Amino acid sequence: MKKSKLFLSMFTIATLLGSCSSDDDTPTPGTDDDGGVVEQKDDVIESQDDPDLDPEDLHGEVRANVTISADTEWMLTGALKVMDGATLKIEPGVTIKARSGGTNVYIAVSQGAKIDAQGTADSPILITSAAENPRAGDWGGVMLAGYAQINSGDVAETEVAGISYGGDNDADNSGTINYMILEYTGARINGDQEFNGFTFYGVGSETSISNIMVRYGDDDGIEWFGGTVDVTNALVVNAKDDWFDWTEGWTGTGKNFYGIREFGFNDVTEDPRGIEADSNSNNNDASPRSNPTIDGLTLYHQSTISMADMIKIRRGSSATITNAVVAIIAAEDEDAGSASDFIDLTDNSGDGSSETSINVTALGAIDATDIKAQGATITVGAGNTGADTSVFAWTGYTFPSLDVE
């Protein structure tokens, strides 16, 4: 027995030595075919040549200025977090497909970081689901976190992904997003923690957001948590919950907002709304008070489901909304949906501010007298045009008519 073991050991050693000889073409781990050192993945992207900047497996912490190029298709497989001091550039025409089925698949731009995603009308940026049969909620969405003021404290932590936001720099700059489409967003952790399409956390006024579209979201289309960022030309199609949602002291401006729930999209939360506006439910007078100015707004309900409210402003929020159109119009040969309220400023956790002013045209199956104004100035009349749909031609979306026979 001992002699057999000794013989086996000597044979094993010889075999191992032979496998390491120069005649073996197999590189050892961490080396290439020529014996050079190959950098291993570590979930951190520190240069354009980093192996973690992998088109087939895109995720990790971005700690350098890197570019997502348009010469290949990218697969987002996990959280892509842009860290303080780094800039993520996404070229015009880029398509990113997000692995479906996980709340850990999203793009987040942290405080002190920037995104440079400047698509064009001819070459927009698309981030969509990789599923063969995509559905709302397949992946998270795009989040930006800045140093602008919020009213829930000096700083706070995002309800998803655990990223800090807020501060005292209302002119903070988180970068640029222009001509970008997000599809099948809104992955949910639970009933209180959900991703949206675009979420702006304490984002400052030097950030540039324009020409964006969110299509098929399992929660809100676009949500603001405080901040001062302005948004121009925003289209939300088929969000399961709210189309436009703000809280925690957003004081920016919105220009040309269009939200629609199409016929056949009947997935709903408990209280879907066209606009859901909060300031602070614990202290309605907390500063800064949510008080955006929105010019050019269309909210179009074409589905047969019942919306909770077309416009809900509550919990201390104020707003100035001009040139608005709110419509409930049935698809051809179908029944019209409904809304529990047209405009409602009441809430158990505090009413909307009486400083609110809304100028709106009501079309279709809306009771134009169904308004709980709470002292706010609500003017309902004819002649408003709402959002200019021509600016969304780059999306290829076909808008239904607002004509009422």
Side-chain angles (χ1 to χ4, degrees):
M1 287 292 292
K2 289 182 180 181
K3 287 183 181 180
S4 298
K5 285 185 177 181
L6 178 60
F7 174 79
L8 180 60
S9 298
M10 292 177 67
F11 177 79
T12 302
I13 292 172
T15 301
L16 290 173
L17 288 173
S19 68
C20 297
S21 70
S22 59
D23 294 332
D24 190 347
D25 293 331
T26 304
T28 58
T31 64
D32 60 20
D33 290 341
D34 298 322
V37 176
V38 176
E39 188 177 357
Q40 300 298 297
K41 288 188 174 184
D42 58 3
D43 296 330
V44 176
I45 301 171
E46 297 183 300
S47 72
Q48 190 67 33
D49 298 324
D50 196 300
D52 284 282
L53 190 62
D54 184 350
E56 297 180 358
D57 185 20
L58 182 62
H59 70 278
E61 293 187 354
V62 178
R63 297 183 183 175
N65 298 342
V66 298
T67 298
I68 304 296
S69 61
D71 57 4
T72 187
E73 189 173 276
W74 296 77
M75 177 69 74
L76 183 69
T77 58
L80 185 68
K81 295 184 178 181
V82 191
M83 309 305 290
D84 185 3
T87 297
L88 176 68
K89 181 176 181 178
I90 305 177
E91 291 184 340
V94 162
T95 294
I96 299 174
K97 291 188 176 180
R99 186 183 64 193
S100 63
T103 56
N104 63 334
V105 181
Y106 57 88
I107 296 176
V109 180
S110 305
Q111 288 179 309
K114 290 183 179 180
I115 186 170
D116 181 12
Q118 300 189 52
T120 68
D122 293 331
S123 297
I125 296 164
L126 172 65
I127 309 178
T128 188
S129 170
E132 290 186 7
N133 297 301
R135 299 186 304 171
D138 274 352
W139 66 288
V142 173
M143 307 163 48
L144 274 63
Y147 287 107
Q149 290 185 80
I150 59 176
N151 68 23
S152 56
D154 293 335
V155 296
E157 186 175 282
T158 59
E159 65 180 29
V160 291
I163 297 171
S164 295
Y165 68 99
D168 59 4
N169 182 7
D170 284 346
D172 189 32
N173 186 350
S174 295
T176 300
I177 295 176
N178 195 16
Y179 294 105
M180 179 182 284
I181 299 172
L182 305 182
E183 295 180 327
Y184 307 107
T185 59
R188 293 172 176 267
I189 296 173
N190 55 48
D192 297 317
Q193 294 177 289
E194 311 98 354
F195 286 89
N196 307 297
F198 289 99
T199 313
F200 304 113
Y201 290 97
V203 177
S205 61
E206 289 299 308
T207 308
S208 178
I209 308 294
S210 56
N211 300 306
I212 57 176
M213 178 183 187
V214 180
R215 180 162 42 196
Y216 296 110
D218 203 52
D219 196 55
D220 300 335
I222 305 171
E223 185 165 5
W224 295 258
F225 287 80
T228 55
V229 66
D230 302 331
V231 177
T232 302
N233 301 339
L235 172 59
V236 175
V237 179
N238 294 338
K240 184 176 178 178
D241 194 32
D242 309 317
W243 307 345
F244 304 99
D245 189 334
W246 64 78
T247 186
E248 294 187 11
W250 179 44
T251 58
T253 64
K255 175 67 176 178
N256 229 52
F257 284 7
Y258 193 109
I260 183 169
R261 177 182 280 271
E262 295 176 314
F263 175 75
F265 186 76
N266 298 323
D267 293 341
V268 293
T269 59
E270 181 179 352
D271 49 8
R273 297 181 169 107
I275 285 178
E276 182 177 279
D278 296 339
S279 189
N280 187 311
S281 60
N282 296 318
N283 178 5
N284 292 175
D285 294 320
S287 181
R289 184 189 298 272
S290 291
N291 187 24
T293 298
I294 298 174
D295 180 32
L297 169 72
T298 299
L299 303 175
Y300 194 144
H301 178 34
Q302 192 184 43
S303 168
T304 56
I305 64 98
S306 178
M307 300 283 288
D309 310 275
M310 294 307 294
I311 297 178
K312 179 81 166 183
I313 298 178
R314 62 185 184 180
R315 300 174 183 177
S317 181
S318 182
T320 299
I321 301 175
T322 56
N323 189 23
V325 172
V326 177
I328 299 179
I329 301 175
E332 186 175 358
D333 298 327
E334 301 292 343
D335 295 328
S338 61
S340 297
D341 292 294
F342 173 25
I343 299 173
D344 183 9
L345 273 74
T346 66
D347 189 76
N348 292 334
S349 295
D351 296 339
S353 169
S354 61
E355 299 298 314
T356 295
S357 174
I358 302 175
N359 183 288
V360 62
T361 294
L363 298 176
I366 289 182
D367 179 359
T369 67
D370 182 16
I371 298 172
K372 302 177 177 68
Q374 301 306 101
T377 301
I378 312 295
T379 303
V380 182
N384 285 353
T385 56
D388 177 6
T389 58
S390 69
V391 303
F392 299 113
W394 62 275
T395 66
Y397 184 72
T398 301
F399 291 87
S401 172
L402 282 168
D403 293 336
V404 181
E405 296 181 357

